[in-house]
Amino acid sequence: MSAGTYTPRPGAAPLPRMIAAQTALETRMLLRNGEQLLLTVIIPTLLLVLFSAVDIVDTGSGASVDFLAPGILALAVMSTAFTGQAIATGFERRYGVLKRLGASPLPRWALMTAKTLSVLVTEVLQVLLLTAIALTLGWSPQGNPLSVLLLLVLGTAAFSGLGLLMAGTLKAEATLAAANLVFLLLLVGGGVIVPLDKFPDAVQSVLGLLPISALSEGLRDVLQHGASMPWAEAGILAVWAVLGLGAAAKFFRWE
C-alpha cells in the first residue's frame, strides 16, 4: 500500500457531476414539499377528472377530455416551471441559500441549469401521470409526439424564465402572493378549461398572446386536431422564453 493511497484530493468535482447532484437534490426537495405537490399533481388531476366527468363548461363538440387534457398538461408545466419554481427560489433567496450556493464551486449558471433540469424531471412525471388518467377517462390523442415535446420544452423555458425573474426581483412574500395570483388568473383566462372563444373578441386577441394560452392552444391543435406543428403558438412561446430568460439573467438578485 503506497503512502498516498488515502490522501484526500482537494478540488471541486467535475462540473457534470455537480450539476447532476444538484439536480437530484432540487428534485427531491420539490417532490417532498406539500404545497408543491398540491400545485403540480393534485390540482391538475382534480381539474382533469372533475371537468371531464361533469359537464360544467361547454368545450364544444367531442368528448370533454379531448379538449381538457392538452390544457391540463399546459397547466402542469406552468405550475412547476413558473409557480412552484418562483416560490421555492424566492424563499431560498430570502433565507440566504442562493447566496451560499453561489459561493460554492458550483457556478451560478450551473445552479440555474440544475433547477431547470429538476423542473423537467418533475414535468416528465406529471405528463406521465396526467396522460395515464386522461387515457383512462377516454382521451384519444392525435398528432406528432415530437411537436408536443417541442411545445412543452418551449413552454418550460418561457415559464421558467418568468418564474426566475419574479423570484429574483421581488421579496419572497410578494413572490408567493403574486405567483399564486397569476396561477389562478391564467387558469381561468388562459384557455386551460374555458375555451378562448367564450371571451369577447377584443379580449381573445390579448389572451392569445399569453404563454399559457399559446401552450394550451398549441397542444390542443396537435393532440386534438392532429396539426403537424402550430408555428404561431410556438413562436409566441419562443418570444416569451427569450424575454423571460434574458430578463432573469439580467435582473436576478442573489441576495
Side-chain angles (χ1 to χ4, degrees), residues 47-61:
L47 290 173
L48 177 60
V49 174
L50 175 63
F51 284 91
S52 296
V54 182
D55 190 13
I56 300 175
V57 178
D58 181 12
T59 57
S61 60

Side-chain angles (χ1 to χ4, degrees), residues 33-57:
N33 188 306
E35 182 180 354
Q36 301 290 348
L37 288 178
L38 177 66
L39 283 170
T40 59
V41 177
I42 298 176
I43 290 179
T45 299
L46 289 177
L47 290 173
L48 177 60
V49 174
L50 175 63
F51 284 91
S52 296
V54 182
D55 190 13
I56 300 175
V57 178

Side-chain angles (χ1 to χ4, degrees), residues 30-99:
L30 192 153
L31 294 177
R32 289 175 181 174
N33 188 306
E35 182 180 354
Q36 301 290 348
L37 288 178
L38 177 66
L39 283 170
T40 59
V41 177
I42 298 176
I43 290 179
T45 299
L46 289 177
L47 290 173
L48 177 60
V49 174
L50 175 63
F51 284 91
S52 296
V54 182
D55 190 13
I56 300 175
V57 178
D58 181 12
T59 57
S61 60
S64 296
V65 69
D66 289 335
F67 174 87
L68 292 169
I72 295 298
L73 291 177
L75 180 69
V77 171
M78 182 179 73
S79 67
T80 301
F82 173 71
T83 312
Q85 184 168 219
I87 294 171
T89 306
F91 278 95
E92 286 178 354
R93 175 170 161 254
R94 174 187 175 183
Y95 294 131
V97 175
L98 293 183
K99 180 180 178 181

Side-chain angles (χ1 to χ4, degrees), residues 81-82 85-86 89 112 115-116 159-169 245 248 252:
F82 173 71
Q85 184 168 219
T89 306
M112 293 305 174
K115 285 184 173 294
T116 301
F159 284 119
S160 185
L162 295 173
L164 290 174
L165 175 63
M166 181 179 288
T169 54
L245 292 171
F252 192 93

Side-chain angles (χ1 to χ4, degrees), residues 127-211:
V127 169
L128 291 176
L129 174 63
L130 293 172
T131 298
I133 294 173
L135 291 174
T136 303
L137 294 170
W139 184 35
S140 301
Q142 305 180 46
N144 186 351
L146 293 179
S147 299
V148 174
L149 178 61
L150 178 59
L151 288 169
L152 291 176
V153 170
L154 288 173
T156 299
F159 284 119
S160 185
L162 295 173
L164 290 174
L165 175 63
M166 181 179 288
T169 54
L170 301 179
K171 292 184 178 180
E173 292 80 5
T175 298
L176 175 63
N180 281 315
L181 178 60
V182 170
F183 177 85
L184 292 174
L185 292 176
L186 294 184
L187 169 62
V188 175
V192 174
I193 294 175
V194 180
L196 289 181
D197 58 17
K198 301 297 182 182
F199 295 91
D201 292 341
V203 177
Q204 285 184 43
S205 59
V206 176
L207 294 179
L209 297 176
L210 297 175

